[in-house]
Amino acid sequence: MKARFAVITCLVAVGALAVPQAPAFSEEAPKGPLAVNAEVKADIHALNLINGLDLTDEQSRALLDSARDFQAKRHELEQRLLRAETEATPVLEDVRAILMTGDFPDQELEHQVGRHTGAPREMLLAFDKERVAFANQAVGALTPNQIALIDEYKPCVIVPKTRDTSRIGAPAGGNAARVAGHLARIREVPDRMYAAKEREIVDRMAEGIEKHHHNRIKVTDKDKAALAALLDRSRSLSAVDFEAQKLDLAREMMLYEDPDQEIYRNERNRANRVCRFLLSDSAIKAYEARLAAQAGS
Amino acid sequence: MKQKTQSKKISRRRFLETAAKAAVVASAGAAFGGICRVPFGERRAEAAPAGQTKGYIATREAMYYQKLDQRKVKCKLCPRGCVVGSNERGYCGVRENRNGTYYTLVYGNPCTINVDPLEKKPILHMNPGTRALSVATAGCNLNCKYCQNWQMAQSRPEETRNYELPPSGLVASAKAAGRKLIAFDFTEPVVFYEYVIDTAKLARKAGLKLAVCTAAYIEPEPLVELCKFVDMFKVDLKGIDDEFYDDVCAGRVGPVKLAIQILKREGVWFELVNLIVPTKNDQDSQIEALVKWVKEKVGTQVPLTFSRFEPMYQYKNLPPTSVETVERARSIAVQRGLKYVYLGNVPASSTGRNTYCPKCGKLLVQRLIYDVKQNKISKGKCPYCEAKIPGIWD
């Protein structure tokens, strides 16, 4: 009897272990690599800016407080948006059901749809004003130089190690210096070869410019003629004159570099930058770690 | 079970043959490596960028020297006062006695040409945001162990790749490039004095300004003459005592102090820079002494920059100067009453490069390292309280 009981107990135990653990109700599905990398990159972008600002402890504390308040506001907004979306679901399902029959929603249903889609939009507009207020509050703790650095910040993973740039996290070299390097190389092309390949060189430069702007602009024939004239001018300069003028020539060559047309126009907005990099969840982790390390030391 | 090993017996002939072949291969490889001195894909070491010629020398008879007996000359340009025999050169390596006549070998053959913002020199009270056509030849009359341009400064002109650029050409290039300012920087303009002064005269006629960045190790007479044609000087006051100058720079502080006082007397605009080197001149007592001398002999209105040292040249064993050290130096200077004290080589977030009104405290010029973000100085005055801000504000 005892032996039988022991066997049954063991079988039950093995059976319990063999049953795969059902995920807990509140557990999220594991993140894919894209989502994981996006999160890590967000942390890196915030850290590069925070490191470059050389914040004092006092500034870190002030920003941490602002970031936590902002985080609470964001979560509150997320909950409200979630509720609004949940309330909109039956209405949208009604619309779908009617459309499936080939019919059109009546006016009453149209009004309901308007109310439910309008509500989240109003919440977001109201939140935008609060967001700007948070950003202004955060910026109040910073010096003019730190604010200027935020305005110039270009997020990247590896910050270039150069002392000349006034930006932190900026792409290496500065665009004019890089373009001047291209000009210097084109100057070294022998005359005969340049004469034979001039059109090809200009076409490739135009392609490079379009690629630089993610194909959002098209280099016209007029621009190509201007590029060709500029290359001729730079090639005709003496070595000394080229050294003296190369940055200016490079800037002339940088077509379509009008800041208003830059792709990251939205990110030029200071409030967006402050909220994205200095008041984010990533930033909270960074401030907490720094302040804890300071307290520990 | 022991493995059988076959012992290979090598005959003496075979050994000698193999060794000889190895020697031939090794020497051929060394010869080939000598021809191709640099790895594949890189420029050959001897190739010079277009327009520069290795060892190009441009000469003219030197100024400020005295002929002595036996075809010797005594240089009177700098405090070293080298007595130079025929076919010999002075300490600077760029002035040569040829049969009793002293020549400069760096007249119109600069080894570097660049367009730099004034903030990089640093020159902070002269038309913020201006970019100068900056030029230097080989040579220097000091030998600072932390020199960041030692490859040029401690070289002779035959060792550097030089442009052919006489004074008239330099002025013409500056005008063609739209530059309103020429600067002599990077090495030591005192040693190419003739080039500087002739360029300065032409620049003045052409309506251009001229700045000289120097350690000011120069005799009074040539300095006074230079002051007539140069618009501003940036002077490296490297230390405040002979001990530092002797140990670190192979010089003396007395002539530098005298030169600074001459600049003040002549009324030409100048700014001072002190590079703080850990364990050499970073003690509070040394900084206090320097600040005290500046205040008493020069005044409180002269801009003074404390710059951080980076390991370089013969001081690679030293750590970089901490930001706290230069901030402390600045704090000492401000407490002693100096009005315009700046920090060099500090992070972009530092406000140490900004200019504030000494009267009302408002921000006048905001700089992010070398970028001028805003300049509110109007006609040489603070726009808020009308206090006069010394400098050159065109």
Side-chain angles (χ1 to χ4, degrees), chain B residues 85-152:
Chain B
S86 187
N87 296 328
E88 289 178 353
R89 296 191 190 180
Y91 178 95
C92 58
V94 298
R95 300 166 85 78
E96 186 174 89
N97 177 355
R98 294 177 176 176
N99 220 14
T101 303
Y102 207 34
Y103 288 91
T104 169
L105 307 178
V106 281
Y107 184 82
N109 54 339
C111 57
T112 186
I113 296 170
N114 216 358
V115 175
D116 276 339
L118 286 182
E119 283 71 22
K120 204 172 179 182
K121 309 296 180 194
I123 293 173
L124 303 178
H125 278 233
M126 182 178 189
N127 298 336
T130 302
R131 299 182 91 87
L133 181 60
S134 308
V135 156
T137 74
C140 186
N141 58 354
L142 291 171
N143 187 1
C144 303
K145 290 177 180 166
Y146 52 64
C147 184
Q148 65 175 6
N149 291 320
W150 62 271
Q151 292 99 331
M152 296 184 286

Side-chain angles (χ1 to χ4, degrees), chain A residues 52-54 143-146 148-149 152 163-166 188 238-241 243-248 251, chain B residues 43 50-51 113 115 120 131 133 163 165 173 176-177 179 345 347-350 354 366-371 373:
Chain A
L53 290 177
D54 290 311
T143 65
N145 277 36
Q146 288 169 324
L149 282 172
E152 303 260 336
R163 284 189 286 144
D164 281 0
T165 181
S166 62
E188 288 175 18
S238 69
V240 171
D241 287 338
E243 285 300 318
Q245 298 179 39
K246 64 183 178 186
L247 289 179
D248 292 332
R251 285 189 197 102
Chain B
R43 266 198 192 155
I113 296 170
V115 175
K120 204 172 179 182
R131 299 182 91 87
L133 181 60
Y163 294 93
L165 191 63
S173 290
R179 299 291 154 211
N345 195 17
S349 59
S350 168
N354 292 347
Q366 184 189 7
R367 299 179 183 90
L368 278 189
I369 305 191
Y370 308 133
D371 274 357
K373 290 294 155 190

Side-chain angles (χ1 to χ4, degrees), chain B residues 232-246:
Chain B
M232 83 89 60
F233 289 83
K234 190 273 298 187
V235 178
D236 290 316
L237 180 57
K238 298 174 187 277
I240 201 59
D241 48 58
D242 271 338
E243 192 187 333
F244 177 89
Y245 263 84
D246 182 45

Side-chain angles (χ1 to χ4, degrees), chain B residues 59-372:
Chain B
T59 63
R60 64 151 267 188
E61 189 178 351
M63 298 167 74
Y64 300 104
Y65 78 97
Q66 180 190 3
K67 292 193 181 188
L68 303 176
D69 293 336
Q70 296 172 342
R71 292 182 295 167
K72 288 184 185 174
V73 300
K74 180 175 169 66
C75 183
K76 295 190 148 191
L77 181 60
C78 89
R80 292 198 183 276
C82 299
V83 174
V84 184
S86 187
N87 296 328
E88 289 178 353
R89 296 191 190 180
Y91 178 95
C92 58
V94 298
R95 300 166 85 78
E96 186 174 89
N97 177 355
R98 294 177 176 176
N99 220 14
T101 303
Y102 207 34
Y103 288 91
T104 169
L105 307 178
V106 281
Y107 184 82
N109 54 339
C111 57
T112 186
I113 296 170
N114 216 358
V115 175
D116 276 339
L118 286 182
E119 283 71 22
K120 204 172 179 182
K121 309 296 180 194
I123 293 173
L124 303 178
H125 278 233
M126 182 178 189
N127 298 336
T130 302
R131 299 182 91 87
L133 181 60
S134 308
V135 156
T137 74
C140 186
N141 58 354
L142 291 171
N143 187 1
C144 303
K145 290 177 180 166
Y146 52 64
C147 184
Q148 65 175 6
N149 291 320
W150 62 271
Q151 292 99 331
M152 296 184 286
Q154 300 303 317
S155 291
R156 298 186 159 207
E158 54 266 44
E159 294 169 326
T160 52
R161 297 190 190 103
N162 308 317
Y163 294 93
E164 186 181 345
L165 191 63
S168 55
L170 175 49
V171 171
S173 290
K175 289 202 83 167
R179 299 291 154 211
K180 295 182 180 163
L181 177 66
I182 294 172
F184 289 102
D185 193 6
F186 311 124
T187 57
E188 178 47 71
V190 168
V191 306
F192 50 97
Y193 179 90
E194 295 78 5
Y195 188 30
V196 173
I197 199 163
D198 284 356
T199 304
K201 289 173 184 170
L202 291 174
R204 185 133 308 166
K205 279 187 193 161
L208 303 180
K209 285 200 163 38
L210 199 126
V212 170
C213 302
T214 174
Y217 206 58
I218 185 172
E219 287 285 89
E221 192 187 336
L223 179 59
V224 168
E225 182 64 17
L226 200 56
C227 286
K228 295 176 187 169
F229 305 101
V230 171
D231 296 280
M232 83 89 60
F233 289 83
K234 190 273 298 187
V235 178
D236 290 316
L237 180 57
K238 298 174 187 277
I240 201 59
D241 48 58
D242 271 338
E243 192 187 333
F244 177 89
Y245 263 84
D246 182 45
D247 174 34
V248 178
C249 308
R252 292 179 291 120
V253 72
V256 179
K257 285 179 175 174
L258 177 58
I260 292 172
Q261 289 174 271
I262 289 172
L263 291 177
K264 182 167 168 69
R265 186 191 73 204
E266 295 296 310
V268 68
W269 178 250
F270 67 97
E271 301 183 21
L272 300 177
V273 176
N274 176 245
L275 184 78
I276 297 186
V277 183
T279 73
K280 300 295 175 187
N281 63 349
D282 63 341
Q283 298 302 306
D284 280 7
S285 55
Q286 291 166 304
I287 295 167
E288 293 266 10
L290 185 141
V291 168
K292 185 172 177 241
W293 183 87
V294 169
K295 184 180 174 183
E296 285 172 6
K297 301 294 181 186
V298 184
T300 59
Q301 300 288 314
V302 66
L304 170 62
T305 298
F306 289 110
S307 198
R308 285 177 62 234
F309 154 84
E310 294 276 346
M312 194 70 69
Y313 191 32
Q314 298 179 25
Y315 274 168
K316 284 192 173 174
N317 56 314
L318 294 180
T321 312
S322 67
V323 176
E324 289 75 26
T325 301
V326 290
E327 281 176 351
R328 196 178 73 243
R330 185 183 181 211
S331 169
I332 290 171
V334 168
Q335 278 171 17
R336 294 289 169 267
L338 296 195
K339 302 294 182 199
Y340 305 101
V341 188
Y342 299 99
L343 300 181
N345 195 17
V346 287
S349 59
S350 168
T351 54
R353 284 180 165 262
N354 292 347
T355 301
Y356 295 88
C357 176
K359 195 171 162 195
C360 67
K362 290 263 172 49
L363 174 63
L364 298 180
V365 184
Q366 184 189 7
R367 299 179 183 90
L368 278 189
I369 305 191
Y370 308 133
D371 274 357
V372 175

Side-chain angles (χ1 to χ4, degrees), chain A residues 3-259:
Chain A
R4 198 180 289 174
F5 179 74
V7 167
I8 291 168
T9 309
C10 286
L11 283 172
V12 168
V14 166
L17 286 170
V19 167
Q21 293 285 331
F25 181 75
S26 60
E27 262 181 30
E28 293 173 7
K31 290 179 187 168
L34 284 176
V36 166
N37 280 3
E39 208 174 287
V40 175
K41 275 185 188 168
D43 286 349
I44 290 173
H45 292 161
L47 282 166
N48 276 333
L49 178 60
I50 290 168
N51 288 349
L53 290 177
D54 290 311
L55 299 168
T56 61
D57 286 348
E58 208 178 302
Q59 287 175 325
S60 295
R61 272 186 220 105
L63 285 169
L64 178 58
D65 290 341
S66 295
R68 281 177 177 155
D69 291 343
F70 185 59
Q71 187 186 51
K73 278 283 175 186
R74 267 192 292 119
H75 287 168
E76 189 194 313
L77 174 70
E78 280 166 18
Q79 294 303 316
R80 285 166 56 205
L81 283 171
L82 194 59
R83 274 197 299 274
E85 291 295 332
T86 309
E87 283 166 14
T89 306
V91 174
L92 293 171
E93 282 174 349
D94 284 347
V95 171
R96 183 175 62 181
I98 289 172
L99 291 173
M100 288 284 272
T101 65
D103 209 348
F104 295 100
D106 62 17
Q107 206 174 37
E108 173 56 29
L109 196 52
E110 276 180 28
H111 286 317
Q112 283 186 39
V113 168
R115 275 198 300 274
H116 283 290
T117 51
R121 202 180 305 130
E122 280 172 22
M123 281 184 225
L124 287 169
L125 280 172
F127 181 74
D128 197 57
K129 287 182 187 160
E130 284 185 80
R131 192 175 57 82
V132 172
F134 271 108
N136 288 339
Q137 185 193 347
V139 153
L142 303 175
T143 65
N145 277 36
Q146 288 169 324
I147 295 168
L149 282 172
I150 293 168
D151 288 342
E152 303 260 336
Y153 179 55
K154 283 194 182 181
C156 61
V157 172
I158 300 293
V159 173
K161 289 177 180 55
T162 166
R163 284 189 286 144
D164 281 0
T165 181
S166 62
R167 296 179 296 202
I168 41 174
N175 287 343
R178 196 188 69 234
V179 172
H182 290 316
L183 274 178
R185 278 189 285 280
I186 291 173
R187 268 170 59 87
E188 288 175 18
V189 175
D191 288 341
R192 265 176 62 182
M193 192 185 293
Y194 182 77
K197 300 268 184 185
E198 183 183 352
R199 198 183 168 85
E200 191 183 322
I201 290 172
V202 172
D203 285 343
R204 282 175 67 176
M205 282 178 69
E207 277 173 31
I209 292 169
E210 286 170 358
K211 203 174 159 185
H212 174 69
H213 289 277
H214 300 266
N215 293 323
R216 289 188 177 213
I217 50 104
K218 183 87 185 122
V219 178
T220 61
D221 287 340
K222 194 176 161 194
D223 292 329
K224 284 186 188 176
L227 277 173
L230 194 142
L231 290 179
D232 285 341
R233 194 159 30 115
S234 78
R235 283 173 62 85
S236 67
L237 291 171
S238 69
V240 171
D241 287 338
F242 178 73
E243 285 300 318
Q245 298 179 39
K246 64 183 178 186
L247 289 179
D248 292 332
L249 289 167
R251 285 189 197 102
E252 263 188 69
M253 228 177 91
M254 286 156 66
L255 304 174
Y256 310 106
E257 289 290 325
D258 182 3

